[in-house]
Structure formats: structure tokens, C-alpha cells
Amino acid sequence: MKELLHPICHEWANRCNTHGILMIEKTACHAATTDTFDVVLLVIVDPQSEPMLLRQYSLNEKKAVLYAVSERQLNEWLVLGSHRKAVDWVFNGKVVFDRDGYVQQLRQRLEQFPPKERRLKMGLEFAKLIRRYTDGKALFAARHWLDSYNHMVQALHHLARLTVIEHGLYPEVTVWNQVKRMDGRIYKLYEELVGSEEPLPKRLELLLLASEFLIHSYVEPGSSHLCEALKEKNGAWSIEEMTGHPQFAPYSVDLVIMLEYLVERKVLTVVEMPTKGNTMLERYYTLQKKEF
């Protein structure tokens, strides 16, 4: 089918706003990366284009999908992790068209993984990890074993991604293959949670204890981006100010629980300020002052 897609590739390559085209074919080992399609075409266009155009094609029981994404949208997928398969597409896709070496430069940038992007990705994964772990712990205390199990599996996935990012790589779809080579402790926890013959409550209890230690070891790198953003302003931040600031926007609904966790860990301090004409106090957040 890929030969029949050449006219479509040619059409996009002739457009002046197309930076590059990648083709990803379904294989037995990588069927998950193509969402069951036989071929995925990833067309990268300039940042001023529409965020994404999606088209599907079929011929003789074969099917293909085309994603035409702006450079800005693709960067959002890669940095924020909102489309995890995009990492596999960029790294492993066959380059069909590459204007002025754009795709090659993109791959080089991803391999270098700029520190600023790395800190942001670690912060986002850490926030999601805190959300899942906190909810899993609360559900465990309420004896909702299966719901707690679901959250803890997700927490381990975020912990795994944190490990991969800390090693300077982008998490892929097959993240556990990556983690197995990097941190045997986390891989072992995952194996014990999903494969142990121990009763589920016992497995969860042991995992919660072990996870708490591992999460604590990621407090500093996981909060680095957020703490740097807080330094942009002298004094404390209200939650309203943070949610309206572009540096904090990627954290979305996980921002509040991450802030509260960092208060518990004495990374941040809560400052209570009076509100106009009301006895209620408004909570503000600031970095904990270090004592030397």
C-alpha cells in the first residue's frame, strides 16, 4: 500500500509549508504504534498552520491514516506527552521527505533532549505520579482494592517514565522495555504488583511503602521546573495567578495536588493573606527558605 501513497506524499511535499514527511508501517512487533492502521503518514507543517488535519484511506482491505500536524502541535505532543506514539513516529519512521534537513535536525534535538524540556517533562510526570499515588493510597485506606490497584499501576507507569526522562531519553510506547535496562527496582515493583500470587491487599500495601521511598527520591528533580517558575515573581503566588501563567498551564488539573505534596515535603510554604471585606484567608505559595 505504501507505493499507492506516493502521490499523496508527493502532493504534500510540493507544498511550501511542509517541513517533512515520515512513514510508519505496521509490523508484528510494533502494531501498537500505528493504532491498527497498516501505514501512518506524519506530515509536519510550519507552526502557523492549523494544529492538525486528519485523513484516512483504504484500499483492498488495507488502511492508512495521515496526520498533518503543525510544528507547534508536534512539539506539544513531544514535550507534554499528550500523544506518546509521536515519539516512536519521529524516531523510527521512514523519512519520505525532508526539507532542508528539518527531520534530521528534529531527531538530533530529541536525542540531545534539551535540559529545559527535560525539566518540564519530569515535572509533568511527577505531578501525574503524585495524583495517582495519592488517590491510590486513599482508595487503599477505604478498602477499594481494585480501584486502588488501577491507580497504582498508573503511578508505576509515571514512575517508569520519570526514570527514562532522568536518563535523558523520551519515554516510548514500550516504556517497560526501557525501564528494565535502567532501573531494576521499578521493574521489579511492577512485576510483583501485576504478577505476584500474594493477595491483592498485601501486594498494594507493600507497593505503597516501596513507592513512597522512590517518589521521595524524585522530589528535587520532579519539582525543579515548578520551583524555577515560582522564582519569576518576588513573593508568594496565588493559585489563580499560577493557573493563568503559561509556565504552570501544562500541569493542568494536577497542579494543586502537586503543590500540596510539595508543602508536605517542605519544598514550598503556604502564606495566608486576608481577603477584602472577609474574614477568610487566601492561600498563597512560595518557596521554602533554606536555612544555612
Side-chain angles (χ1 to χ4, degrees), residues 45-215:
V45 296
D46 68 51
Q48 304 306 317
S49 304
E50 289 295 318
M52 186 177 74
L53 181 148
L54 186 62
R55 290 177 180 169
Q56 295 182 356
Y57 306 92
S58 61
L59 181 68
N60 299 330
E61 298 184 355
K62 296 285 186 178
K63 54 184 182 178
V65 59
L66 179 146
Y67 291 85
V69 299
S70 69
E71 185 180 359
R72 182 181 293 108
Q73 179 67 68
L74 180 62
N75 285 332
E76 182 179 310
W77 284 356
L78 297 173
V79 175
L80 304 187
S82 52
H83 195 313
R84 300 191 186 283
K85 295 179 183 180
V87 175
D88 294 81
W89 294 351
V90 172
F91 272 122
N92 303 317
K94 177 185 177 182
V95 179
V96 177
F97 173 72
D98 190 8
R99 190 188 303 278
D100 300 326
Y102 175 87
V103 175
Q104 182 181 0
Q105 292 172 25
L106 174 61
R107 284 176 167 173
Q108 288 175 349
R109 181 172 68 83
L110 293 180
E111 288 172 356
Q112 293 168 357
F113 208 164
K116 185 177 179 181
E117 292 183 8
R118 191 184 308 178
R119 286 195 299 271
L120 174 57
K121 281 189 74 69
M122 289 198 72
L124 298 178
E125 290 295 343
F126 186 71
K128 291 180 174 65
L129 168 60
I130 298 305
R131 163 73 66 186
R132 290 294 191 173
Y133 174 78
T134 302
D135 289 351
K137 188 175 181 179
L139 289 164
F140 176 81
R143 303 174 69 84
H144 296 301
W145 312 128
L146 290 176
D147 294 303
S148 176
Y149 173 85
N150 177 54
H151 281 277
M152 292 310 299
V153 167
Q154 293 301 318
L156 284 176
H157 275 279
H158 292 303
L159 193 57
R161 293 186 188 106
L162 265 174
T163 300
V164 173
I165 298 167
E166 189 177 42
H167 280 76
L169 300 173
Y170 280 77
E172 298 173 4
V173 175
T174 54
V175 69
W176 287 108
N177 282 338
Q178 293 176 288
V179 173
K180 189 175 183 179
R181 300 190 298 268
M182 298 173 183
D183 194 325
R185 299 172 303 167
I186 297 174
Y187 189 82
K188 185 68 174 177
L189 284 177
Y190 184 70
E191 277 192 323
E192 289 178 353
L193 176 63
V194 300
S196 173
E197 295 183 358
E198 289 274 3
L200 183 55
K202 186 64 176 177
R203 277 184 274 162
L204 289 169
E205 182 182 10
L206 294 173
L207 177 61
L208 283 164
L209 290 172
S211 296
E212 187 168 0
F213 172 77
L214 288 172
I215 292 171

